[in-house]
Amino acid sequence: MRRRHELCDLLDERRPGYSLPQPFYNDPDIYALDIEGVFNACWLMIGFSVELPKPGNYLAMTIGRTPVVVIRDRAGAIRGFFNSCRHRGAQICQDGTGRAAKLVCPYHQWTYGLDGRLLHAGAMPENFDANDHPLRPIHVEVVAGAIYICLAQTPPDFAPFRRALEPMLAPHGFENAKLAHQYVLVEKANWKLVMENGRECYHCAANHPELGISFPIGISANMSIEDDTRMRGYCQRMAAHGLEVGPTDGSWWQIARFPLNEGMISMSPDGAPLVKKPMLDLDGGDTGSLRFSIEPHNFCHALGDYAFMFSVLPVGPEETHVVAKWLVHEDAVEGVDYDVPSLINTWDMTNRQDRDLAENNQRGVNGLGYLPGPYSPKAEGLVLRFIDWYCERMRAHIGAPSARIAEVA
Ligand code: FES
Ligand SMILES: [Fe+2]
């Protein structure tokens, strides 16, 4: 394991405004510290409450090396647990989705309730107390239908994010939606390269002709479009409908509503809506997009007719899973009101183009010729924000002084 002072030296080595030194993008020890300091410590967005419609529905996934399960209990609450049996630690639910009346470990059949209590453990001595062996809980927060989890014992304060997101997201009706499609895209790139790519549109004009039809690719870091008159008109129109535009943010989150390109109503191949039954039924669905994102790993776009989630889960120093999900109104009928290939077309093309860019970035960064380069403050403001946030998070994790405090001093 790379020692603390080595990481500290590498963090100190980073020039402000520049990309990271090479080991941050491919070193197995730094990857292990990323999992500890970032993915085991921060809030993560994993999906939507409508994916767990009934008691016993669960979503199981692995964060770094930690299997977790998020499940709806009998009272209807969404709870989360470490997905490791309290007997000898076997993974209880396999990664994916499912429904179970009880959680039964496949190894020796210890059986847990949906609230995590141990209900049955065969062949144990008389003095064995099942109450001493419940599943270990993780933190779960559900905001207007979006599910966030945190594996830390003491998570970062969630309340300011909830206060900001809830009123802006609630009108989009995520609780009356359904999952129309999801997939996992495997990318042979470090998770930070995947996220850097996802935090800028500097590359969009040359690489995303399909996205560029509807998405304002020159958008600023605070999600404002260049045409002031149109931006003002959009803000007034949204205000008239009681929809807050923002932008608003905290150190690890951002929320803003923004207009699409002139005349475009959805992020779609021609800007026309893709779902006949809208999620947000205003102005024919012409509400632009509500973008909400959290460091370290996610962004979402809630449009008038559908919503899209992009969350990154690292699986190795040079391998990342992108979890992509699409929501539509629960009453929209597949084949009648929408079809999946059209619904996912724009973001699916974009995801695959971005995968190629991230993998190509990884190859170049791995070479002897790589030196950290300068981000464009105008076009890569959110990348800079992400990387600065990451460096501060890692400094806090290893107990090193903050670079910002050092700069001020
Ligand atoms: S490890 Fe789960 S029952 Fe033995
Ligand atoms: Fe992209």
Side-chain angles (χ1 to χ4, degrees):
M1 177 59 71
R2 196 175 274 270
R3 285 201 300 270
R4 181 187 164 280
H5 71 263
E6 286 180 87
L7 178 59
C8 198
D9 288 350
L10 273 172
L11 287 165
D12 287 343
E13 202 181 285
R14 179 186 169 234
R15 257 172 97 173
Y18 277 63
S19 62
L20 294 166
Q22 187 188 57
F24 284 102
Y25 296 118
N26 60 14
D27 183 290
D29 291 345
I30 292 193
Y31 172 77
L33 286 167
D34 282 0
I35 297 300
E36 265 179 36
V38 176
F39 284 85
N40 293 353
C42 298
W43 287 102
L44 305 172
M45 183 177 174
I46 54 138
F48 304 104
S49 57
V50 291
E51 294 180 76
L52 307 172
K54 299 211 170 79
N57 277 122
Y58 66 81
L59 263 175
M61 73 219 69
T62 299
I63 309 295
R65 284 151 52 111
T66 302
V68 297
V69 59
V70 175
I71 191 161
R72 194 177 287 273
D73 72 14
R74 291 202 184 285
I78 295 179
R79 296 170 177 253
F81 302 101
F82 288 108
N83 189 10
S84 293
C85 181
R86 292 297 309 278
H87 177 219
R88 279 166 49 203
Q91 180 166 338
I92 300 167
C93 305
Q94 295 312 297
D95 283 4
T97 57
R99 188 166 183 218
K102 292 171 183 153
L103 299 180
V104 182
C105 178
Y107 205 173
H108 315 94
Q109 290 71 53
W110 280 31
T111 301
Y112 303 86
L114 304 183
D115 57 1
R117 276 187 309 135
L118 178 59
L119 303 176
H120 169 77
M124 297 305 286
E126 250 177 43
N127 63 355
F128 172 78
D129 189 350
N131 293 323
D132 292 341
H133 300 83
L135 291 179
R136 297 179 63 204
I138 60 169
H139 296 275
V140 177
E141 295 278 356
V142 182
V143 186
I147 305 177
Y148 296 86
I149 63 169
C150 183
L151 274 49
Q153 246 177 353
T154 310
D157 186 7
F158 194 81
F161 177 55
R162 170 187 290 285
R163 272 199 302 276
L165 182 59
E166 205 145 44
M168 292 179 82
L169 184 55
H172 288 266
F174 280 19
E175 275 146 353
N176 304 313
K178 65 176 178 184
L179 189 71
H181 193 67
Q182 66 174 325
Y183 64 55
V184 173
L185 195 61
V186 178
E187 307 200 0
K188 299 285 184 195
N190 183 270
W191 69 275
K192 295 188 287 299
L193 291 178
V194 177
M195 285 310 298
E196 288 188 38
N197 177 268
R199 289 284 192 254
E200 49 95 354
C201 225
Y202 194 11
H203 67 272
C204 291
N207 293 284
H208 296 315
E210 298 82 8
L211 182 69
I213 292 167
S214 56
F215 188 90
I217 58 175
I219 200 158
S220 70
N222 65 5
M223 296 287 127
S224 186
I225 60 163
E226 279 164 353
D227 182 341
D228 286 349
T229 314
R230 209 158 75 75
M231 190 69 202
R232 266 200 305 278
Y234 173 77
C235 291
Q236 282 164 2
R237 196 158 56 78
M238 293 301 104
H241 288 302
L243 293 177
E244 226 180 291
V245 169
T248 173
D249 67 357
S251 61
W252 54 269
W253 53 270
Q254 285 185 292
I255 311 165
R257 209 180 284 282
F258 65 92
L260 302 179
N261 288 339
E262 187 96 58
M264 302 289 141
I265 290 174
S266 183
M267 290 185 195
S268 67
D270 59 2
L274 293 163
V275 189
K276 282 192 198 131
K277 176 88 190 156
M279 296 180 79
L280 181 57
D281 197 4
L282 299 173
D283 284 352
D286 183 12
T287 52
S289 172
L290 175 69
R291 177 185 178 278
F292 52 104
S293 67
I294 58 170
E295 315 298 5
H297 83 139
N298 154 274
F299 66 81
C300 292
H301 286 282
L303 300 150
D305 60 335
Y306 74 94
F308 173 66
M309 180 194 94
F310 175 103
S311 283
V312 152
L313 294 177
V315 293
E318 296 182 37
E319 187 167 331
T320 301
H321 286 176
V322 167
V323 182
K325 300 189 182 193
W326 286 259
L327 281 188
V328 298
H329 193 287
E330 63 184 343
D331 296 336
V333 179
E334 187 179 350
V336 177
D337 298 315
Y338 72 99
D339 70 273
V340 169
S342 307
L343 175 71
I344 70 169
N345 180 274
T346 300
W347 278 106
D348 182 40
M349 300 272 271
T350 303
N351 287 344
R352 288 171 201 280
Q353 291 153 349
D354 281 331
R355 173 198 55 198
D356 294 348
L357 293 168
E359 292 183 348
N360 186 60
N361 196 174
Q362 182 76 57
R363 288 191 291 275
V365 163
N366 284 348
L368 286 175
Y370 172 71
L371 285 174
Y375 297 121
S376 155
K378 177 170 156 40
E380 294 170 304
L382 292 183
V383 186
L384 197 50
R385 192 186 141 106
F386 164 66
I387 290 298
D388 285 349
W389 171 88
Y390 165 80
C391 292
E392 284 301 299
R393 175 85 281 280
M394 294 308 279
R395 281 180 188 280
H397 178 60
I398 60 173
S402 159
R404 287 179 198 143
I405 292 168
E407 273 162 30
V408 172

